[in-house]
């Protein structure tokens, strides 16, 4: 019995150490981001340049997509105030996620940029019988972007990006147990992304557009669940008029279909281990000064399979140096 208690204490101390380590690295990274005009997609920060962004996001969902890829308006399933065939309330519910997310980039070299992103989440799941809440730091993403070439055919800029997702800032809970909400996916993930971008100054006098494709390798978590690997495809375009900007973005995620170990409807279906999702995003920005700007973003689910259908509203402030 004493050995078991000692093992539990060791595991707890190990988890606390990992969380403190991540928080320390995050603070050091943030302190370094004080010192370039931001570029989207394939562009990198100049050496010593930085881009920092603090975003308040509000996501809500009370519907889910069917088990086949369908349009949001054609075949989404209402999860809220619905009953099972026997008259009992459904276990799934209305789900909301309020989070404050930090994102930062720093130019180590004109061709090499490092980045970090992490949210502080407040989650709430409301069913017809109970309301469950939780909060904490979610997944921490650390990455790099290396600009390959500035002079590809047709004026494209190309880059490669790598990113690792670290789930050590929270306890990965078994969502099959009533009352448990998942702050993050619980698994380490490794993503490799290829990016192409092109400025549109020679055509429209301003703006840009970009193309991206990525493969995300997912690993097994501490509960024995391995989410499916994912293919990701991104298309975006941005334009600006004086101090105002507009950005349109399309994000498509397709599961490889190699998940194992099951997995529940974690966090309102937003962390399903095997799902597809197509999101569209509209962003309006205002650059108040040379170094500070503001942005409003709305993201909506257009199509999906075996995942939540929801809308995100975001307000952000960013700084460029």
């Amino acid at each position: 019995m004493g050995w078991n208690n000692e093992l539990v204490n060791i595991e707890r101390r190990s988890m606390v150490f990992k969380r403190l380590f991540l928080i320390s690295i995050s603070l050091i990274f943030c302190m370094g981001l004080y010192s370039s005009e931001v570029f989207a997609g394939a562009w990198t920060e100049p050496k010593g340049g930085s881009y920092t962004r603090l975003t308040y996001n509000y996501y809500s969902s009370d519907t889910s997509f069917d088990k086949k890829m369908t349009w949001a308006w054609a075949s989404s399933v209402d999860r809220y105030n619905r009953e099972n065939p026997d008259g009992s309330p459904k276990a799934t519910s209305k789900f909301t996620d309020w989070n404050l997310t930090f994102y930062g980039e720093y130019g180590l070299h004109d061709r090499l940029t490092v980045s970090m992103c992490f949210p502080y989440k407040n989650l709430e799941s409301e069913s017809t019988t109970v309301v469950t809440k939780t909060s904490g730091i979610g997944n921490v993403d650390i990455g790099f972007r290396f600009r390959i070439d500035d002079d590809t055919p047709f004026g494209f800029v190309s880059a490669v990006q790598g990113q690792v997702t670290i789930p050590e800032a929270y306890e990965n809970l078994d969502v099959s147990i009533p009352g448990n909400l998942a702050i993050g996916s619980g698994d380490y993930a490794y993503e490799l992304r290829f990016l192409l971008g092109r400025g549109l100054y020679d055509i429209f006098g301003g703006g840009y557009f970009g193309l991206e494709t990525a493969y995300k390798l997912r690993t097994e978590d501490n509960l024995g669940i391995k989410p499916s690997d994912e293919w990701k495809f991104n298309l975006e375009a941005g334009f600006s008029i004086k101090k105002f900007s507009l950005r349109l973005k399309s994000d498509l995620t397709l599961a490889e279909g190699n998940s194992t170990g099951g997995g529940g409807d974690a966090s309102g279906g937003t962390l399903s281990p095997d799902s597809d999702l197509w999101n569209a995003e509209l962003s309006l920005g205002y650059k108040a000064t040379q170094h500070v700007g503001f942005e409003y973003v709305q993201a909506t689910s257009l199509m999906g399979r075996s995942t939540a259908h929801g809308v995100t509203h975001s307000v952000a402030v960013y700084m460029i140096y």
Side-chain angles (χ1 to χ4, degrees), residues 3 12 14 26 30 34 47 53 60 72 90 96 108 120 137 143 158 192 198 217 233 236 248 261 269 286 298 303 319:
W3 280 104
R12 287 177 177 172
S14 176
S26 301
C30 295
Y34 61 88
K47 183 177 180 180
R53 178 186 179 95
S60 63
K90 284 186 174 292
T96 53
L108 294 178
Y120 185 87
I137 297 175
S158 60
L192 184 63
R198 191 189 193 285
L217 179 68
F233 305 92
E236 69 175 283
L248 302 172
Y286 175 73
Q298 179 174 318
M303 293 186 74
M319 293 180 290

Side-chain angles (χ1 to χ4, degrees), residues 39-106:
F39 296 103
W43 288 273
T44 51
E45 297 290 339
K47 183 177 180 180
S50 70
Y51 170 76
T52 57
R53 178 186 179 95
L54 193 63
T55 307
Y56 173 78
N57 302 290
Y58 173 75
Y59 171 86
S60 63
S61 170
D62 59 8
T63 57
S64 295
F65 288 104
D66 288 338
K67 293 184 179 180
K68 60 180 180 179
M69 194 71 163
T70 51
W71 290 101
W73 55 83
S75 190
S76 58
V77 179
D78 188 352
R79 295 198 315 265
Y80 193 54
N81 285 332
R82 286 291 187 91
E83 294 182 343
N84 291 313
D86 62 358
S88 62
K90 284 186 174 292
T92 49
S93 58
K94 182 178 181 180
F95 175 75
T96 53
D97 177 355
W98 300 266
N99 67 77
L100 190 64
T101 298
F102 169 84
Y103 175 81
E105 294 186 352
Y106 183 78

Side-chain angles (χ1 to χ4, degrees), residues 53-192:
R53 178 186 179 95
L54 193 63
T55 307
Y56 173 78
N57 302 290
Y58 173 75
Y59 171 86
S60 63
S61 170
D62 59 8
T63 57
S64 295
F65 288 104
D66 288 338
K67 293 184 179 180
K68 60 180 180 179
M69 194 71 163
T70 51
W71 290 101
W73 55 83
S75 190
S76 58
V77 179
D78 188 352
R79 295 198 315 265
Y80 193 54
N81 285 332
R82 286 291 187 91
E83 294 182 343
N84 291 313
D86 62 358
S88 62
K90 284 186 174 292
T92 49
S93 58
K94 182 178 181 180
F95 175 75
T96 53
D97 177 355
W98 300 266
N99 67 77
L100 190 64
T101 298
F102 169 84
Y103 175 81
E105 294 186 352
Y106 183 78
L108 294 178
H109 185 275
D110 286 347
R111 289 183 176 272
L112 181 62
T113 293
V114 293
S115 64
M116 173 176 280
C117 179
F118 59 89
Y120 185 87
K121 289 174 169 282
N122 287 277
L123 309 180
E124 180 178 302
S125 179
E126 177 187 355
S127 71
T128 53
T129 57
V130 67
V131 175
T132 305
K133 299 180 180 180
T134 191
S135 62
I137 297 175
N139 287 334
V140 176
D141 295 321
I142 299 176
F144 73 90
R145 183 164 63 256
F146 179 75
R147 182 158 42 91
I148 302 171
D149 198 350
D150 298 330
D151 192 26
T152 56
F154 307 106
F156 280 92
V157 174
S158 60
V160 63
Q161 179 173 293
Q163 180 176 283
V164 58
T165 297
I166 304 171
E168 297 291 351
Y170 56 89
E171 183 180 0
N172 189 35
L173 299 176
D174 185 351
V175 296
S176 66
I177 300 175
N180 281 352
L181 278 178
I183 292 180
S185 56
D187 66 300
Y188 278 85
Y190 308 90
E191 181 182 287
L192 184 63

